[in-house]
Amino acid sequence: MSMFLDQVTIDVKAGKGGDGMVAFRREKYVPDGGPAGGDGGRGGNVILIVDEGLRTLMDFRFHRHFKARPGENGMSKGMHGRGSEDTYVKVPQGTTVRDATTGALLGDLVKNGQTLVVAKGGRGGRGNIRFASPKNPAPEIAENGEPGQERTIELELKVLADVGLVGFPSVGKSTLLSVISSARPKIGAYHFTTLVPNLGMVTTSDGRSFAAADLPGLIEGASQGVGLGTQFLRHIERTRVILHVIDMSGMEGRDPYEDYVAINQELSSYNLRLLERPQIIVANKMDMPSAKENLKKFKKQLNQEKEDEFAETIPIFPISGVTRKGIDALLNTTADLLEKTPEFPLYDEEMTEETVQYGFTSEGSEFKIDRASDATWILSGEKIERLFQMTNFNHDETVMRFARQLRGMGVDEALRNRGARDGDLVRIGEFEFEFVE
Ligand SMILES: Nc1nc2c(ncn2[C@@H]2O[C@H](COP(=O)(O)OP(=O)(O)OP(=O)(O)O)[C@@H](O)[C@H]2O)c(=O)[nH]1
Ligand SMILES: [Mg+2]
Protein backbone atom coordinates (compact mmCIF):
# COMPACT_ATOMS: atom_id res chain seq x y z
CA MET A 1 0.00 0.00 0.00
CA SER A 2 1.14 3.45 -0.71
CA MET A 3 2.29 5.61 2.15
CA PHE A 4 -0.20 8.20 1.14
CA LEU A 5 -3.70 8.29 2.51
CA ASP A 6 -6.20 10.71 1.11
CA GLN A 7 -9.55 9.24 2.05
CA VAL A 8 -10.66 7.85 5.36
CA THR A 9 -13.77 7.21 7.43
CA ILE A 10 -13.68 7.97 11.14
CA ASP A 11 -16.08 7.81 14.08
CA VAL A 12 -16.58 10.81 16.28
CA LYS A 13 -18.46 10.93 19.56
CA ALA A 14 -19.01 14.04 21.60
CA GLY A 15 -19.26 14.04 25.38
CA LYS A 16 -22.56 13.66 27.16
CA GLY A 17 -23.65 16.61 29.26
CA GLY A 18 -23.26 16.17 33.01
CA ASP A 19 -26.38 15.25 34.98
CA GLY A 20 -28.16 17.86 37.00
CA MET A 21 -28.50 17.13 40.70
CA VAL A 22 -31.35 16.92 43.15
CA ALA A 23 -30.10 18.26 46.50
CA PHE A 24 -31.32 20.44 49.33
CA ARG A 25 -29.68 22.90 51.60
CA ARG A 26 -28.92 21.53 55.04
CA GLU A 27 -28.31 24.26 57.49
CA LYS A 28 -28.43 24.29 61.20
CA TYR A 29 -31.65 25.80 62.52
CA VAL A 30 -33.25 25.71 59.04
CA PRO A 31 -35.72 22.83 59.03
CA ASP A 32 -36.43 22.63 55.30
CA GLY A 33 -33.60 23.91 53.16
CA GLY A 34 -34.38 25.03 49.63
CA PRO A 35 -33.17 23.22 46.50
CA ALA A 36 -29.40 23.19 46.08
CA GLY A 37 -28.67 20.80 43.20
CA GLY A 38 -26.39 22.28 40.56
CA ASP A 39 -26.44 21.88 36.79
CA GLY A 40 -24.29 19.43 34.91
CA GLY A 41 -21.49 20.77 32.72
CA ARG A 42 -21.43 20.72 28.94
CA GLY A 43 -19.97 17.68 27.22
CA GLY A 44 -16.92 18.21 25.02
CA ASN A 45 -17.25 18.73 21.26
CA VAL A 46 -15.18 16.89 18.72
CA ILE A 47 -13.63 19.55 16.48
CA LEU A 48 -11.52 19.19 13.37
CA ILE A 49 -8.73 21.73 13.04
CA VAL A 50 -6.49 22.39 10.06
CA ASP A 51 -2.79 21.97 10.74
CA GLU A 52 -0.61 23.16 7.87
CA GLY A 53 2.13 20.82 9.05
CA LEU A 54 0.12 17.81 7.90
CA ARG A 55 0.27 16.71 4.28
CA THR A 56 -1.81 13.55 4.26
CA LEU A 57 -4.45 11.73 6.28
CA MET A 58 -1.81 9.20 7.34
CA ASP A 59 -2.36 9.83 11.04
CA PHE A 60 -5.78 8.27 10.70
CA ARG A 61 -4.45 4.95 9.53
CA PHE A 62 -4.61 3.31 12.91
CA HIS A 63 -6.59 5.87 14.84
CA ARG A 64 -10.15 6.20 13.68
CA HIS A 65 -12.25 6.75 16.79
CA PHE A 66 -12.36 10.11 18.48
CA LYS A 67 -14.27 10.87 21.65
CA ALA A 68 -14.73 13.91 23.78
CA ARG A 69 -15.21 13.70 27.52
CA PRO A 70 -18.54 14.06 29.32
CA GLY A 71 -19.37 17.12 31.35
CA GLU A 72 -19.11 16.91 35.09
CA ASN A 73 -22.30 16.21 37.03
CA GLY A 74 -23.94 18.95 39.03
CA MET A 75 -23.23 18.93 42.76
CA SER A 76 -24.82 19.86 46.01
CA LYS A 77 -24.58 23.35 47.49
CA GLY A 78 -25.61 24.73 44.12
CA MET A 79 -22.31 23.89 42.48
CA HIS A 80 -22.38 23.37 38.74
CA GLY A 81 -20.40 20.66 37.05
CA ARG A 82 -17.48 21.73 34.94
CA GLY A 83 -17.83 21.70 31.18
CA SER A 84 -15.52 19.33 29.42
CA GLU A 85 -12.69 20.35 27.14
CA ASP A 86 -13.19 19.85 23.45
CA THR A 87 -11.28 17.19 21.58
CA TYR A 88 -9.35 18.59 18.63
CA VAL A 89 -8.47 16.38 15.69
CA LYS A 90 -5.84 17.69 13.26
CA VAL A 91 -6.41 17.46 9.52
CA PRO A 92 -4.35 18.70 6.57
CA GLN A 93 -5.26 21.74 4.49
CA GLY A 94 -7.70 20.78 1.75
CA THR A 95 -9.75 18.25 3.71
CA THR A 96 -13.38 17.85 2.69
CA VAL A 97 -15.71 16.51 5.39
CA ARG A 98 -18.93 14.58 4.83
CA ASP A 99 -21.44 12.76 6.96
CA ALA A 100 -20.79 9.16 5.94
CA THR A 101 -24.42 8.16 6.39
CA THR A 102 -26.22 10.94 4.57
CA GLY A 103 -23.38 12.00 2.28
CA ALA A 104 -24.08 15.61 3.23
CA LEU A 105 -21.18 18.01 2.98
CA LEU A 106 -20.21 19.28 6.43
CA GLY A 107 -17.34 21.49 5.43
CA ASP A 108 -14.29 22.08 3.30
CA LEU A 109 -11.28 22.93 5.43
CA VAL A 110 -8.67 24.93 3.59
CA LYS A 111 -7.21 27.60 5.87
CA ASN A 112 -4.61 26.89 8.50
CA GLY A 113 -6.30 26.89 11.91
CA GLN A 114 -9.80 26.60 10.44
CA THR A 115 -12.11 24.53 12.63
CA LEU A 116 -15.28 22.51 12.19
CA VAL A 117 -17.41 21.02 14.96
CA VAL A 118 -18.23 17.51 13.77
CA ALA A 119 -19.87 16.21 16.94
CA LYS A 120 -21.60 18.56 19.33
CA GLY A 121 -21.29 17.96 23.05
CA GLY A 122 -24.52 17.47 25.03
CA ARG A 123 -25.73 20.30 27.20
CA GLY A 124 -25.64 19.76 30.93
CA GLY A 125 -28.84 18.71 32.69
CA ARG A 126 -30.43 21.28 34.97
CA GLY A 127 -30.28 20.77 38.72
CA ASN A 128 -33.30 21.11 40.96
CA ILE A 129 -32.57 24.76 41.78
CA ARG A 130 -33.79 25.54 38.27
CA PHE A 131 -37.13 23.87 38.78
CA ALA A 132 -38.11 25.72 41.93
CA SER A 133 -41.22 27.86 41.68
CA PRO A 134 -43.59 29.45 44.19
CA LYS A 135 -45.89 26.50 43.70
CA ASN A 136 -43.14 23.95 44.04
CA PRO A 137 -40.39 25.46 46.18
CA ALA A 138 -38.60 22.16 46.84
CA PRO A 139 -38.75 20.19 43.58
CA GLU A 140 -37.24 16.75 43.31
CA ILE A 141 -36.65 17.35 39.64
CA ALA A 142 -33.38 17.25 37.78
CA GLU A 143 -32.46 16.56 34.20
CA ASN A 144 -29.81 14.18 33.02
CA GLY A 145 -27.27 15.58 30.62
CA GLU A 146 -28.03 15.56 26.92
CA PRO A 147 -26.26 12.79 25.01
CA GLY A 148 -23.32 13.88 22.88
CA GLN A 149 -23.68 13.77 19.11
CA GLU A 150 -22.22 10.68 17.53
CA ARG A 151 -21.54 10.02 13.89
CA THR A 152 -19.35 8.60 11.21
CA ILE A 153 -17.67 11.08 8.94
CA GLU A 154 -15.66 10.82 5.77
CA LEU A 155 -12.51 12.84 5.25
CA GLU A 156 -11.21 13.36 1.78
CA LEU A 157 -8.04 15.23 1.00
CA LYS A 158 -7.82 17.30 -2.15
CA VAL A 159 -4.45 18.97 -2.13
CA LEU A 160 -4.27 22.73 -2.33
CA ALA A 161 -2.39 23.58 -5.46
CA ASP A 162 -2.86 26.31 -8.05
CA VAL A 163 -1.30 24.27 -10.78
CA GLY A 164 -1.44 20.55 -11.51
CA LEU A 165 1.11 18.63 -13.57
CA VAL A 166 -0.56 15.81 -15.44
CA GLY A 167 0.55 13.39 -18.10
CA PHE A 168 1.48 9.80 -18.88
CA PRO A 169 4.03 8.06 -16.67
CA SER A 170 7.70 8.97 -17.28
CA VAL A 171 7.00 12.08 -19.33
CA GLY A 172 9.08 14.09 -16.84
CA LYS A 173 6.53 15.64 -14.46
CA SER A 174 8.60 15.09 -11.33
CA THR A 175 11.76 16.23 -13.05
CA LEU A 176 9.99 19.47 -13.94
CA LEU A 177 8.68 19.99 -10.41
CA SER A 178 12.18 19.43 -9.00
CA VAL A 179 13.54 22.07 -11.37
CA ILE A 180 10.91 24.72 -10.70
CA SER A 181 10.55 24.28 -6.92
CA SER A 182 12.48 23.06 -3.91
CA ALA A 183 10.39 19.87 -3.84
CA ARG A 184 12.48 16.71 -4.24
CA PRO A 185 10.19 14.08 -5.71
CA LYS A 186 11.59 10.76 -6.76
CA ILE A 187 12.63 10.60 -10.42
CA GLY A 188 13.09 7.36 -12.32
CA ALA A 189 13.29 5.89 -15.79
CA TYR A 190 10.42 3.53 -14.98
CA HIS A 191 6.66 4.10 -14.94
CA PHE A 192 4.83 5.15 -11.79
CA THR A 193 7.91 6.42 -10.03
CA THR A 194 5.63 8.91 -8.36
CA LEU A 195 3.09 7.19 -6.14
CA VAL A 196 1.87 10.16 -4.14
CA PRO A 197 1.19 13.74 -5.13
CA ASN A 198 4.11 16.07 -4.44
CA LEU A 199 3.67 19.75 -3.73
CA GLY A 200 6.14 22.50 -4.43
CA MET A 201 6.17 26.29 -4.20
CA VAL A 202 7.25 27.86 -7.46
CA THR A 203 8.66 31.36 -7.87
CA THR A 204 8.84 32.86 -11.33
CA SER A 205 11.73 34.96 -12.62
CA ASP A 206 9.59 38.09 -12.15
CA GLY A 207 8.88 37.22 -8.52
CA ARG A 208 5.38 35.76 -8.59
CA SER A 209 4.70 32.47 -6.82
CA PHE A 210 2.22 29.62 -6.88
CA ALA A 211 1.84 26.08 -5.59
CA ALA A 212 2.24 23.22 -8.05
CA ALA A 213 1.35 19.56 -7.57
CA ASP A 214 3.03 16.72 -9.41
CA LEU A 215 0.55 13.89 -9.75
CA PRO A 216 1.21 10.23 -10.31
CA GLY A 217 1.18 9.36 -14.01
CA LEU A 218 -2.25 8.95 -15.51
CA ILE A 219 -2.93 6.20 -17.95
CA GLU A 220 -5.86 5.58 -20.18
CA GLY A 221 -8.71 4.08 -18.23
CA ALA A 222 -7.55 5.54 -14.96
CA SER A 223 -10.93 7.08 -14.32
CA GLN A 224 -12.48 3.63 -14.60
CA GLY A 225 -10.06 2.32 -12.02
CA VAL A 226 -7.33 1.02 -14.31
CA GLY A 227 -3.89 1.83 -12.99
CA LEU A 228 -2.92 4.35 -10.37
CA GLY A 229 -4.34 7.54 -11.69
CA THR A 230 -7.97 7.39 -10.64
CA GLN A 231 -7.51 7.92 -6.92
CA PHE A 232 -5.34 10.93 -7.58
CA LEU A 233 -7.50 12.78 -10.04
CA ARG A 234 -9.32 14.37 -7.13
CA HIS A 235 -6.19 16.34 -6.41
CA ILE A 236 -6.55 18.25 -9.64
CA GLU A 237 -9.95 19.51 -8.57
CA ARG A 238 -8.64 22.53 -6.71
CA THR A 239 -6.13 23.55 -9.34
CA ARG A 240 -6.84 26.46 -11.65
CA VAL A 241 -4.35 25.71 -14.37
CA ILE A 242 -3.25 22.37 -15.74
CA LEU A 243 0.23 21.83 -17.12
CA HIS A 244 -0.19 18.97 -19.51
CA VAL A 245 3.27 17.40 -19.83
CA ILE A 246 4.01 15.47 -23.00
CA ASP A 247 7.10 13.46 -23.87
CA MET A 248 8.12 14.76 -27.31
CA SER A 249 11.08 12.42 -27.65
CA GLY A 250 8.84 9.56 -28.66
CA MET A 251 11.44 7.35 -27.03
CA GLU A 252 8.86 5.19 -25.37
CA GLY A 253 7.38 4.43 -28.75
CA ARG A 254 4.23 6.36 -28.03
CA ASP A 255 2.67 9.03 -30.17
CA PRO A 256 2.65 12.44 -28.39
CA TYR A 257 -0.65 13.47 -29.91
CA GLU A 258 -2.38 10.24 -28.95
CA ASP A 259 -1.06 10.72 -25.43
CA TYR A 260 -2.48 14.20 -25.33
CA VAL A 261 -5.93 13.07 -26.44
CA ALA A 262 -5.94 10.10 -24.07
CA ILE A 263 -5.11 12.19 -21.01
CA ASN A 264 -7.81 14.72 -21.83
CA GLN A 265 -10.27 11.87 -22.14
CA GLU A 266 -9.22 10.71 -18.70
CA LEU A 267 -9.80 14.14 -17.23
CA SER A 268 -13.21 14.48 -18.81
CA SER A 269 -14.44 11.06 -17.83
CA TYR A 270 -13.46 11.70 -14.22
CA ASN A 271 -15.23 15.03 -14.15
CA LEU A 272 -16.16 17.12 -17.16
CA ARG A 273 -15.40 20.27 -15.24
CA LEU A 274 -11.70 19.44 -15.21
CA LEU A 275 -11.63 20.40 -18.88
CA GLU A 276 -12.79 23.90 -17.96
CA ARG A 277 -9.41 24.57 -16.44
CA PRO A 278 -7.07 26.28 -18.86
CA GLN A 279 -4.24 24.04 -20.00
CA ILE A 280 -0.73 24.72 -21.08
CA ILE A 281 0.90 22.03 -23.16
CA VAL A 282 4.42 21.38 -21.94
CA ALA A 283 6.35 19.75 -24.76
CA ASN A 284 9.09 18.10 -22.72
CA LYS A 285 12.38 16.35 -23.49
CA MET A 286 13.14 18.75 -26.35
CA ASP A 287 16.84 17.95 -25.84
CA MET A 288 16.25 14.58 -27.50
CA PRO A 289 17.11 14.08 -31.19
CA SER A 290 13.68 13.48 -32.72
CA ALA A 291 11.77 15.85 -30.45
CA LYS A 292 11.72 18.78 -32.87
CA GLU A 293 10.27 16.65 -35.63
CA ASN A 294 7.67 15.18 -33.31
CA LEU A 295 6.64 18.61 -32.05
CA LYS A 296 6.06 19.82 -35.59
CA LYS A 297 3.83 16.85 -36.28
CA PHE A 298 2.07 17.34 -32.96
CA LYS A 299 1.26 20.96 -33.74
CA LYS A 300 -0.13 19.99 -37.08
CA GLN A 301 -2.40 17.36 -35.56
CA LEU A 302 -3.53 19.77 -32.89
CA ASN A 303 -4.43 22.41 -35.48
CA GLN A 304 -6.36 19.94 -37.59
CA GLU A 305 -8.35 19.03 -34.54
CA LYS A 306 -8.96 22.69 -33.79
CA GLU A 307 -11.06 23.35 -36.89
CA ASP A 308 -14.07 21.66 -35.41
CA GLU A 309 -13.21 22.23 -31.76
CA PHE A 310 -13.46 25.45 -29.78
CA ALA A 311 -11.46 28.20 -31.35
CA GLU A 312 -9.11 29.03 -28.47
CA THR A 313 -5.48 28.17 -29.02
CA ILE A 314 -3.80 26.14 -26.35
CA PRO A 315 -0.32 27.51 -25.66
CA ILE A 316 2.54 25.10 -26.24
CA PHE A 317 5.87 25.49 -24.46
CA PRO A 318 8.80 23.41 -25.70
CA ILE A 319 11.12 22.77 -22.76
CA SER A 320 13.68 20.40 -21.39
CA GLY A 321 13.51 19.53 -17.75
CA VAL A 322 17.01 18.15 -17.95
CA THR A 323 18.75 21.13 -19.60
CA ARG A 324 16.22 23.58 -18.05
CA LYS A 325 15.62 25.24 -21.38
CA GLY A 326 12.34 27.11 -21.85
CA ILE A 327 11.33 26.97 -18.20
CA ASP A 328 11.22 30.72 -17.45
CA ALA A 329 8.78 31.48 -20.24
CA LEU A 330 6.59 28.56 -19.20
CA LEU A 331 6.41 29.73 -15.60
CA ASN A 332 5.68 33.34 -16.49
CA THR A 333 2.82 32.34 -18.75
CA THR A 334 1.51 29.99 -16.06
CA ALA A 335 1.51 32.87 -13.56
CA ASP A 336 -0.27 35.11 -16.10
CA LEU A 337 -2.92 32.49 -16.65
CA LEU A 338 -3.39 32.02 -12.90
CA GLU A 339 -4.01 35.72 -12.50
CA LYS A 340 -6.75 35.56 -15.10
CA THR A 341 -8.40 32.37 -13.92
CA PRO A 342 -10.91 32.47 -11.09
CA GLU A 343 -11.18 29.63 -8.62
CA PHE A 344 -13.45 26.75 -9.50
CA PRO A 345 -15.83 26.34 -6.59
CA LEU A 346 -15.87 22.68 -5.65
CA TYR A 347 -19.11 22.41 -3.75
CA ASP A 348 -21.20 25.27 -5.02
CA GLU A 349 -24.53 23.68 -5.68
CA GLU A 350 -24.09 20.74 -3.41
CA MET A 351 -26.34 19.68 -0.61
CA THR A 352 -24.95 20.76 2.68
CA GLU A 353 -26.06 19.56 6.07
CA GLU A 354 -28.48 22.50 6.44
CA THR A 355 -30.34 21.62 3.30
CA VAL A 356 -30.75 17.97 4.22
CA GLN A 357 -33.94 17.32 6.12
CA TYR A 358 -33.64 15.02 9.06
CA GLY A 359 -36.31 12.94 10.70
CA PHE A 360 -39.77 14.30 11.12
CA THR A 361 -40.42 17.94 10.61
CA SER A 362 -44.12 18.66 10.95
CA GLU A 363 -45.46 19.44 14.41
CA GLY A 364 -46.88 16.52 16.31
CA SER A 365 -44.96 13.85 14.46
CA GLU A 366 -41.88 13.92 16.65
CA PHE A 367 -42.41 10.33 17.65
CA LYS A 368 -43.50 7.04 16.16
CA ILE A 369 -45.78 4.39 17.59
CA ASP A 370 -45.32 0.73 16.75
CA ARG A 371 -46.70 -2.41 18.29
CA ALA A 372 -44.48 -5.32 19.31
CA SER A 373 -45.59 -8.94 18.85
CA ASP A 374 -46.36 -9.15 22.58
CA ALA A 375 -48.78 -6.21 22.11
CA THR A 376 -46.50 -3.72 23.88
CA TRP A 377 -46.67 -0.24 22.42
CA ILE A 378 -43.26 0.95 21.25
CA LEU A 379 -42.44 4.64 21.18
CA SER A 380 -39.50 5.85 19.17
CA GLY A 381 -38.15 9.00 17.57
CA GLU A 382 -35.23 11.30 18.12
CA LYS A 383 -36.93 13.84 20.34
CA ILE A 384 -38.73 11.35 22.55
CA GLU A 385 -35.62 9.26 23.00
CA ARG A 386 -33.59 12.29 23.99
CA LEU A 387 -36.21 13.33 26.52
CA PHE A 388 -36.06 9.83 27.90
CA GLN A 389 -32.29 9.90 28.20
CA MET A 390 -32.44 13.23 29.97
CA THR A 391 -34.88 11.99 32.59
CA ASN A 392 -33.57 10.93 35.96
CA PHE A 393 -35.83 8.05 36.92
CA ASN A 394 -34.65 7.96 40.53
CA HIS A 395 -36.99 10.75 41.46
CA ASP A 396 -40.73 10.27 41.18
CA GLU A 397 -41.28 13.92 40.57
CA THR A 398 -38.88 13.83 37.61
CA VAL A 399 -40.72 10.82 36.22
CA MET A 400 -43.98 12.73 36.53
CA ARG A 401 -42.43 15.60 34.64
CA PHE A 402 -41.47 13.17 31.89
CA ALA A 403 -45.08 11.96 31.76
CA ARG A 404 -46.26 15.55 31.42
CA GLN A 405 -43.75 16.18 28.64
CA LEU A 406 -45.05 13.15 26.76
CA ARG A 407 -48.59 14.35 27.16
CA GLY A 408 -47.51 17.77 25.91
CA MET A 409 -46.08 16.17 22.79
CA GLY A 410 -49.42 14.47 22.15
CA VAL A 411 -48.17 10.97 22.90
CA ASP A 412 -51.08 10.06 25.21
CA GLU A 413 -53.65 11.15 22.73
CA ALA A 414 -51.94 9.34 19.87
CA LEU A 415 -51.76 6.14 21.90
CA ARG A 416 -55.43 6.42 22.77
CA ASN A 417 -56.30 6.96 19.13
CA ARG A 418 -54.37 3.86 18.22
CA GLY A 419 -56.46 1.93 20.74
CA ALA A 420 -54.27 1.84 23.83
CA ARG A 421 -56.14 0.92 27.00
CA ASP A 422 -55.56 1.52 30.66
CA GLY A 423 -52.83 -0.85 31.85
CA ASP A 424 -51.29 -1.56 28.43
CA LEU A 425 -47.51 -1.72 28.44
CA VAL A 426 -45.61 1.06 26.69
CA ARG A 427 -41.90 0.88 25.94
CA ILE A 428 -39.27 3.52 25.14
CA GLY A 429 -35.87 1.98 24.62
CA GLU A 430 -35.53 -0.42 27.53
CA PHE A 431 -37.90 1.41 29.79
CA GLU A 432 -41.44 0.12 30.25
CA PHE A 433 -44.40 1.71 31.90
CA GLU A 434 -48.14 1.27 32.08
CA PHE A 435 -50.47 3.39 30.06
CA VAL A 436 -52.82 5.26 32.37
CA GLU A 437 -55.90 6.90 30.91
N1 LIG B 1 16.14 13.57 -22.06
C1 LIG B 1 15.33 13.96 -21.11
N2 LIG B 1 14.92 13.11 -20.16
C2 LIG B 1 14.07 13.56 -19.23
C3 LIG B 1 13.58 14.89 -19.21
N3 LIG B 1 12.75 15.03 -18.15
C4 LIG B 1 12.72 13.83 -17.53
N4 LIG B 1 13.52 12.93 -18.17
C5 LIG B 1 13.73 11.54 -17.80
O1 LIG B 1 12.52 10.82 -17.93
C6 LIG B 1 12.43 9.82 -16.92
C7 LIG B 1 11.14 10.00 -16.13
O2 LIG B 1 11.19 11.21 -15.45
P1 LIG B 1 10.23 11.55 -14.22
O3 LIG B 1 10.40 12.98 -13.90
O4 LIG B 1 10.39 10.56 -13.13
O5 LIG B 1 8.82 11.33 -14.94
P2 LIG B 1 7.36 11.38 -14.31
O6 LIG B 1 6.49 11.97 -15.35
O7 LIG B 1 7.39 12.03 -13.01
O8 LIG B 1 7.04 9.84 -14.20
P3 LIG B 1 6.02 9.07 -13.21
O9 LIG B 1 6.23 9.59 -11.85
O10 LIG B 1 6.42 7.64 -13.33
O11 LIG B 1 4.66 9.32 -13.72
C8 LIG B 1 13.66 9.96 -16.05
O12 LIG B 1 14.61 9.04 -16.45
C9 LIG B 1 14.12 11.37 -16.36
O13 LIG B 1 15.51 11.54 -16.18
C10 LIG B 1 14.04 15.77 -20.24
O14 LIG B 1 13.70 16.95 -20.32
N5 LIG B 1 14.91 15.25 -21.16
MG1 LIG C 1 6.89 11.37 -11.21
Side-chain angles (χ1 to χ4, degrees), residues 170 172-175 185-188 192-195 198 214-217:
S170 294
K173 301 177 297 295
S174 301
T175 305
K186 204 161 128 192
I187 291 164
F192 300 120
T193 310
T194 303
L195 296 172
N198 295 293
D214 159 33
L215 299 176

Side-chain angles (χ1 to χ4, degrees), residues 224-239:
Q224 277 98 55
V226 184
L228 264 185
T230 172
Q231 67 179 114
F232 296 108
L233 279 171
R234 73 172 68 108
H235 297 296
I236 315 174
E237 289 186 57
R238 290 191 202 275
T239 63

Side-chain angles (χ1 to χ4, degrees), residues 56-369:
T56 74
L57 297 171
M58 277 287 296
D59 291 357
F60 295 101
R61 242 188 344 165
F62 304 112
H63 191 187
R64 297 197 171 171
H65 303 276
F66 298 88
K67 261 192 191 169
R69 297 170 54 81
E72 208 179 7
N73 291 339
M75 290 160 281
S76 56
K77 295 184 184 162
M79 285 194 294
H80 297 322
R82 233 193 312 263
S84 195
E85 292 205 340
D86 296 327
T87 295
Y88 282 89
V89 179
K90 290 179 190 169
V91 297
Q93 273 179 303
T95 302
T96 291
V97 189
R98 287 176 191 282
D99 183 306
T101 316
T102 65
L105 181 70
L106 305 182
D108 189 25
L109 299 170
V110 292
K111 289 201 187 71
N112 188 36
Q114 193 180 343
T115 58
L116 177 72
V117 177
V118 285
K120 218 169 161 291
R123 89 174 155 77
R126 287 172 292 180
N128 69 336
I129 300 177
R130 306 287 212 99
F131 295 97
S133 65
K135 258 195 185 157
N136 187 0
E140 283 200 34
I141 299 177
E143 269 172 345
N144 285 340
E146 186 185 24
Q149 203 181 3
E150 188 176 354
R151 62 176 157 190
T152 304
I153 59 172
E154 238 170 54
L155 307 180
E156 186 181 20
L157 175 65
K158 295 180 176 180
V159 299
L160 283 180
D162 307 303
V163 173
L165 272 60
V166 302
F168 265 79
S170 294
V171 294
K173 301 177 297 295
S174 301
T175 305
L176 180 58
L177 185 74
S178 73
V179 167
I180 62 179
S181 76
S182 56
R184 289 290 162 261
K186 204 161 128 192
I187 291 164
Y190 48 92
H191 288 189
F192 300 120
T193 310
T194 303
L195 296 172
V196 308
N198 295 293
L199 268 179
M201 278 308 291
V202 179
T203 305
T204 62
S205 56
D206 57 8
R208 293 175 289 174
S209 61
F210 55 84
D214 159 33
L215 299 176
L218 299 176
I219 56 158
E220 224 172 324
S223 61
Q224 277 98 55
V226 184
L228 264 185
T230 172
Q231 67 179 114
F232 296 108
L233 279 171
R234 73 172 68 108
H235 297 296
I236 315 174
E237 289 186 57
R238 290 191 202 275
T239 63
R240 282 180 292 145
V241 171
I242 290 177
L243 295 188
H244 191 148
V245 185
I246 294 170
D247 180 349
M248 280 297 161
S249 72
M251 65 185 183
E252 297 222 359
R254 282 197 315 258
D255 177 63
Y257 186 69
E258 279 171 20
D259 280 8
Y260 169 75
V261 173
I263 292 291
N264 278 337
Q265 251 156 26
E266 268 321 291
L267 299 183
S268 71
S269 54
Y270 173 78
N271 178 352
L272 267 179
R273 299 205 59 184
L274 289 184
L275 289 189
E276 291 170 22
R277 285 149 184 72
Q279 279 193 15
I280 295 177
I281 295 173
V282 180
N284 194 26
K285 305 198 186 178
M286 290 308 291
D287 55 288
M288 295 296 282
S290 42
K292 259 207 180 99
E293 199 56 36
N294 290 335
L295 177 60
K296 222 190 215 163
K297 196 173 139 211
F298 177 86
K299 281 183 173 167
K300 219 189 225 158
Q301 287 168 301
L302 194 66
N303 280 329
Q304 269 166 10
E305 184 79 0
K306 226 188 66 184
E307 305 292 342
D308 39 81
E309 280 291 317
F310 5 99
E312 220 173 304
T313 326
I314 302 163
I316 303 178
F317 283 82
I319 68 152
S320 164
V322 166
T323 67
R324 310 195 171 196
K325 219 172 154 185
I327 304 256
D328 272 0
L330 167 66
L331 298 187
N332 285 326
T333 303
T334 306
D336 290 345
L337 208 46
L338 276 174
E339 279 166 13
K340 284 194 295 209
T341 311
E343 279 182 33
F344 296 85
L346 287 194
Y347 305 108
D348 234 10
E349 294 124 42
E350 242 203 275
M351 275 197 320
T352 57
E353 170 127 281
E354 283 81 61
T355 57
V356 179
Q357 298 282 334
Y358 286 108
F360 316 95
T361 46
S362 60
E363 266 308 309
S365 55
E366 293 154 321
F367 57 88
K368 211 173 128 221
I369 300 176

Side-chain angles (χ1 to χ4, degrees), residues 348-394:
D348 234 10
E349 294 124 42
E350 242 203 275
M351 275 197 320
T352 57
E353 170 127 281
E354 283 81 61
T355 57
V356 179
Q357 298 282 334
Y358 286 108
F360 316 95
T361 46
S362 60
E363 266 308 309
S365 55
E366 293 154 321
F367 57 88
K368 211 173 128 221
I369 300 176
D370 292 302
R371 200 143 199 209
S373 51
D374 64 358
T376 305
W377 299 95
I378 315 260
L379 293 176
S380 59
E382 204 180 310
K383 181 172 176 186
I384 208 166
E385 281 164 33
R386 188 168 55 226
L387 268 186
F388 169 72
Q389 281 169 306
M390 293 182 71
T391 299
N392 179 340
F393 287 91
N394 296 326

